[in-house]
Amino acid sequence: MKIFEKIQTVLVVDDNEVDAIIAQKLLHHSGLVTTVIVYNSVDAAIRFLSTCSLAEQPQVMFLDLEMPDKNGFDFLSILSENPSLLNNNCILYILSSSIHFLDTEKVSTFPRVRQFLHKPMTRQLLTTLFVKHGQ
């Protein structure tokens, strides 16, 4: 079983402070991530991606769907219109509490999304992702 090589940067976009803290702590304590960047809005994440260098770009991103103002689908639409915002090698996951079938269907129309995951983030989920995609 091969584990991911150490990930330099993970970006978490989630307006729920508790979920964001859980994700940040689990990622840090996994030992597989060097830097975790958390933004609580789509606009803040877009500003970061617009101004960061290629070296600062995340290798993995976890995006919530349900946020005020702009939501995860808005982010995905902006990304579709501006593909240079996010490195093509970045693995993008939806991490959402939504269990609505239409959300799952709509996410499947965005080819950049690797997988739809359900909150909360757990150690087991991270281990599964890192093992699965490291093979």
Side-chain angles (χ1 to χ4, degrees):
M1 177 167 32
K2 182 179 176 190
I3 303 289
F4 247 172
E5 62 186 56
K6 193 157 190 168
I7 299 166
Q8 184 61 39
T9 305
V10 173
L11 175 61
V12 176
V13 182
D14 194 332
D15 69 308
N16 183 306
E17 189 175 334
V18 172
D19 288 333
I21 289 170
I22 289 170
Q24 185 175 32
K25 287 189 182 291
L26 283 171
L27 288 161
H28 273 302
H29 292 283
S30 72
L32 297 171
V33 177
T34 302
T35 305
V36 180
I37 300 169
V38 178
Y39 287 105
N40 64 359
S41 73
V42 166
D43 287 335
I46 294 294
R47 274 192 303 278
F48 166 73
L49 292 171
S50 301
T51 60
C52 72
S53 70
L54 188 57
E56 296 170 314
Q57 286 245 334
Q59 287 75 49
V60 176
M61 180 176 174
F62 292 96
L63 174 67
D64 185 22
L65 288 180
E66 299 172 6
M67 292 182 275
D69 298 321
K70 291 186 177 111
N71 62 31
F73 290 116
D74 294 323
F75 178 91
L76 293 171
S77 294
I78 291 167
L79 185 60
S80 293
E81 294 166 8
N82 304 285
S84 64
L85 279 175
L86 193 62
N87 184 327
N88 284 334
N89 296 326
C90 180
I91 300 170
L92 194 146
Y93 296 103
I94 299 300
L95 183 63
S96 179
S97 58
S98 173
I99 56 170
H100 200 285
F101 173 73
L102 292 177
D103 284 345
T104 307
E105 284 295 308
K106 190 172 180 180
V107 164
S108 70
T109 66
F110 292 94
R112 291 291 305 265
V113 176
R114 172 78 55 98
Q115 192 173 351
F116 189 110
L117 307 168
H118 295 281
K119 286 183 179 179
M121 183 180 285
T122 63
R123 274 193 185 98
Q124 182 179 358
L125 175 65
L126 286 179
T127 301
T128 301
L129 291 176
F130 292 162
V131 169
K132 179 179 176 183
H133 299 298
Q135 293 178 344

